[in-house]
């Protein structure tokens, strides 16, 4: 059974950094495209970042230059390094396993709050 | 690129059918048969209901169906049930510059 468990969220001051983790089981992260999607409180879904099975990455314009997606194959874990955090980055962050371009499996999400 | 356009809300009675539209442009919905639909209950993670416009993942009821015409995709739910009450989001691949675009979401109320 595919399972995704996010962690690492919390309260962080504007300008700070945070690293989110997504531990996967039931499949191999490095053999799949993986992504982060976020949802601000009371708002809709927003795609954030993708890492393809081949290792290349892409980011939404709103986080380009600040967020970095990566994976640790030995730990079967996906990461999102978030730097220079802004108030508008506050959201629940979900990791997801992709099949081609569709988000097939989702984690339960981890909440990031950006406030002084 | 802007988000895809969905109606803010739709409603229906148990047993009825409803359709949720999702309008994009010729550079996203209109260019690729890569539209997906997600159901989200309050406080829960989204769940994939339809992918690649018309395909249903294993375990999803055949009461859910998808279609596309031009720049607009649609999700139809037939035989509405109370447990279908949720938020629904469409999503489209948008090319190499933007991997995915989501719609703003539609709140389905089953009266």
């Amino acid at each position: 059974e595919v399972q995704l468990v996010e962690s690492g969220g919390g309260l962080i001051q504007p300008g700070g950094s945070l690293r989110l983790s997504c531990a996967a089981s039931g499949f191999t992260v490095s053999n799949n495209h993986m992504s982060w999607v976020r949802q601000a409180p009371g708002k809709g879904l927003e795609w954030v970042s993708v890492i393809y099975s081949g290792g290349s990455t892409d980011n939404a314009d709103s986080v380009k230059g600040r967020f970095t997606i990566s994976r640790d194959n030995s730990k079967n874990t996906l990461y999102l390094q978030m730097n220079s955090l802004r108030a508008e980055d506050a959201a629940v962050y979900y990791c997801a396993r992709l099949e081609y371009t569709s988000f097939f499996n989702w984690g339960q999400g981890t909440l990031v709050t950006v406030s002084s | 690129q802007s988000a895809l356009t969905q109606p803010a809300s739709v409603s229906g009675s148990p047993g009825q059918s409803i359709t949720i539209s999702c309008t994009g442009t010729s550079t996203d919905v209109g260019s690729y048969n890569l539209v997906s639909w997600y159901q989200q209950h309050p406080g829960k993670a989204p769940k994939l209901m339809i992918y690649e416009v018309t395909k249903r993942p294993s375990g999803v009821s055949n009461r859910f169906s998808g279609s596309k015409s031009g720049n607009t995709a649609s999700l139809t739910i037939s035989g509405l049930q109370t447990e279908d009450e949720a938020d629904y989001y469409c999503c489209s691949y948008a090319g190499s510059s933007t991997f995915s675009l989501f719609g703003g979401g539609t709140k389905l109320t089953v009266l």
Side-chain angles (χ1 to χ4, degrees), chain A residues 75-94:
Chain A
K75 295 182 178 179
N76 210 35
T77 297
L78 179 73
Y79 300 102
L80 185 67
Q81 178 67 44
M82 305 187 295
N83 299 331
S84 303
L85 281 161
R86 306 166 180 168
E88 55 264 34
D89 295 319
V92 173
Y93 284 74
Y94 297 99

Side-chain angles (χ1 to χ4, degrees), chain A residues 16-62:
Chain A
S17 297
L18 208 56
R19 188 179 80 158
L20 306 183
S21 300
C22 172
S25 58
F27 72 101
T28 302
V29 165
S30 61
N31 291 342
N32 286 265
H33 305 331
M34 299 291 296
S35 193
W36 290 95
V37 175
R38 69 184 180 184
Q39 186 170 35
K43 303 296 185 182
L45 301 171
E46 179 189 15
W47 170 73
V48 173
S49 192
V50 63
I51 183 166
Y52 298 98
S53 56
S56 60
T57 64
D58 199 6
N59 295 293
D61 287 345
S62 58

Side-chain angles (χ1 to χ4, degrees), chain A residues 35 46-47 98 101-103, chain B residues 91-95 98-102:
Chain A
S35 193
E46 179 189 15
W47 170 73
L98 290 154
T101 65
S102 301
F103 303 92
Chain B
C91 180
S92 176
Y93 178 70
T98 303
F99 179 76
S100 277
L101 274 179
F102 281 95

Side-chain angles (χ1 to χ4, degrees), chain B residues 34-55:
Chain B
L34 295 173
V35 176
S36 50
W37 290 88
Y38 303 86
Q39 176 192 65
Q40 187 179 35
H41 287 107
K44 300 294 187 183
K47 175 187 175 183
L48 177 67
M49 304 304 285
I50 295 288
Y51 68 104
E52 294 174 14
V53 179
T54 61
K55 300 176 182 178

